[in-house]
Amino acid sequence: MSQKNSNVAIIIPVYNESPVIGGVLKDVLKKFPVVVCVDDGSTDDSIQEINKTEAILVKHPINMGQGAALQTGVEMAVGINKIDYFVTFDADGQHRISDVEKMLKVMKKDPNLDIILGSRFLGDAQGITKVKKALLKVAVAFSNWTSGTDLTDTHNGLRVFSRKFAEALDLTSSDMSHASEIVEFVSQGKFNYTEVPVSIRYTDYSKSKGQSMINAVNIGFDTLIKKVLK
Amino acid sequence: MIIKILLIVGILALLLVGLSSRNSYFGHAWKKILFTGLSLLVIASVIFPDSLTVFANFLGVGRGADLILYSLTLAFMFYVLNDYLYKQDQKVKIYKIARKLAIQEANQSIGKVDKNTSQRK
């Protein structure tokens, strides 16, 4: 049976998302049969919600952070032979499935591409606050500066990449600095990348779940320290 | 005078424990040499406290006590950094084990449902 999109794995890190994860998974599974959910030691009913669906569940025995959960999801999906395309997707419903389809189309058209990053500054971000936007711009400038890339959005959870990229990926930063780490990885590994405009829905839920902005300071320091120690 | 005896006995005891230990931290020969050298220096400075001031003056520090304070501060900062890096290293290892376990478990439960969907590498 050659089901549509059966060579695509949607990787969703989940940490205490029980109010929304069921709905998000239902929507994603309509278009994409292979969904890998990585539960990062949730203390709510996320696992039960995931188990109600057809999604593959990988359970971290301990909480290890979003970056670690992404790495786990990628490794799990790499183990599934039929998968050619890997998509990272946030659990809070801020991404659009139509954007994933758009990115996959771009990816399939150009076999040289290794990774496509979603950019909310090429597209439009709904409900974003001015402060958050300014902060993200700083983060983008910072990431471009430390990694030598030329991107418009470096901290977007929506990405599509090839098997070659997935197999090479080795994220070690467990927390949110994985976004910078992926950008670094893109710039060092001689991978072909591009950006595709995506829309982000900042709902009250995603805003309340999002990391506090002060955490940007931690990420900045982590990235700098890594750069200095290298 | 009693304090000198207490200090020297304490340092010698630490040295004995350190040198007889076979764990990975003291496993390296150069660490043993360093530790022994440092202990001897400390013992010397306990027996001849003035020697420290002489050395401090040589370095341009006023008193031996100040020199000790500076060295301690430096040593402490070094320790904190070393400890941090070591813990990060441990964390990465633990996460790798946990990841392997999680994927193995997931593969097993998939295997029960549909053997064709997923194959282990």
Side-chain angles (χ1 to χ4, degrees):
Chain A
M1 190 181 73
S2 70
Q3 203 180 349
K4 201 177 177 242
N5 289 328
S6 62
N7 62 343
V8 178
I10 310 285
I11 296 149
I12 309 181
V14 180
Y15 182 62
N16 290 345
E17 308 274 6
S18 64
V20 292
I21 188 64
V24 171
L25 285 178
K26 226 170 85 189
D27 286 346
V28 174
L29 281 161
K30 270 183 211 156
K31 292 282 176 70
F32 298 95
V34 184
V35 176
V36 176
C37 268
V38 182
D39 175 71
D40 193 21
S42 294
T43 49
D44 64 357
D45 293 335
S46 294
I47 290 181
Q48 284 90 319
E49 291 294 325
I50 297 165
N51 272 333
K52 283 182 200 160
T53 69
E54 292 292 303
I56 297 167
L57 172 64
V58 187
K59 279 179 288 184
H60 276 177
I62 46 172
N63 177 256
M64 313 203 287
Q66 200 185 4
L70 271 179
Q71 181 66 30
T72 301
V74 171
E75 283 183 26
M76 179 73 201
V78 163
I80 306 172
N81 287 336
K82 62 178 182 181
I83 300 299
D84 299 318
Y85 301 104
F86 301 74
V87 180
T88 65
F89 197 89
D90 283 359
D92 59 8
Q94 62 166 281
H95 298 313
R96 291 205 172 136
I97 291 153
S98 58
D99 281 333
V100 177
E101 291 173 318
K102 191 166 71 181
M103 289 163 90
L104 279 167
K105 219 180 257 173
V106 174
M107 193 85 180
K108 283 170 184 168
K109 232 184 239 168
D110 184 355
N112 288 324
L113 270 180
D114 296 305
I115 177 163
I116 299 177
L117 300 147
S119 171
R120 65 205 122 167
F121 296 123
L122 288 175
D124 66 315
Q126 291 167 17
I128 189 168
T129 59
K130 272 189 181 147
V131 179
K132 176 136 191 158
K133 194 166 180 175
L135 184 83
L136 280 167
K137 293 264 184 191
V138 173
V140 169
F142 183 80
S143 275
N144 279 331
W145 172 62
T146 54
S147 62
T149 48
D150 186 18
L151 296 165
T152 59
D153 189 3
T154 46
H155 286 68
N156 196 310
L158 193 55
R159 307 174 191 90
V160 177
F161 43 90
S162 64
R163 179 164 275 273
K164 178 184 156 199
F165 188 89
E167 282 175 354
L169 192 68
D170 184 20
L171 296 174
T172 51
S173 61
S174 53
D175 56 6
M176 273 305 285
S177 31
H178 68 267
S180 308
E181 208 183 348
I182 289 175
V183 172
E184 289 259 318
F185 194 70
V186 167
S187 66
Q188 284 166 8
K190 309 269 185 281
F191 291 107
N192 296 315
Y193 62 90
T194 191
E195 284 185 304
V196 165
V198 298
S199 309
I200 301 277
R201 266 173 304 185
Y202 284 100
T203 58
D204 286 338
Y205 179 79
S206 75
K207 270 187 239 171
S208 73
K209 283 291 296 188
Q211 51 172 339
S212 73
M213 291 189 216
I214 192 74
N215 197 27
V217 177
N218 291 332
I219 295 170
F221 272 116
D222 274 5
T223 311
L224 268 187
I225 285 172
K226 263 183 216 153
K227 200 170 170 63
V228 170
L229 288 181
K230 212 158 28 193
Chain B
M1 206 53 215
I2 295 168
I3 184 67
K4 286 194 178 185
I5 293 166
L6 286 177
L7 280 172
I8 290 171
V9 169
I11 291 157
L12 286 176
L14 277 177
L15 188 62
L16 196 71
V17 173
L19 292 186
S20 59
S21 160
R22 275 256 157 223
N23 74 19
S24 61
Y25 188 79
F26 279 103
H28 299 292
W30 66 267
K31 273 186 183 163
K32 283 188 171 150
I33 293 167
L34 207 76
F35 191 61
T36 310
L38 201 69
S39 302
L40 290 178
L41 274 178
V42 174
I43 290 170
S45 71
V46 168
I47 298 172
F48 312 107
D50 293 337
S51 63
L52 246 159
T53 306
V54 173
F55 185 59
N57 283 330
F58 170 73
L59 288 177
V61 180
R63 296 179 306 163
D66 289 338
L67 182 67
I68 297 265
L69 185 67
Y70 296 150
S71 336
L72 268 181
T73 310
L74 208 66
F76 177 68
M77 283 165 74
F78 178 78
Y79 171 78
V80 168
L81 184 70
N82 198 50
D83 192 53
Y84 170 77
L85 292 175
Y86 178 73
K87 277 184 179 155
Q88 289 297 99
D89 200 47
Q90 293 290 94
K91 199 176 84 175
V92 170
K93 283 178 189 159
I94 290 170
Y95 283 12
K96 279 199 171 142
I97 298 170
R99 178 168 297 132
K100 217 163 208 165
L101 205 74
I103 291 176
Q104 227 165 53
E105 202 184 29
N107 272 326
Q108 271 163 11
S109 57
I110 292 172
K112 279 176 204 155
V113 183
D114 180 6
K115 281 204 170 104
N116 300 318
T117 332
S118 168
Q119 288 159 6
R120 269 180 238 171
K121 260 205 291 191

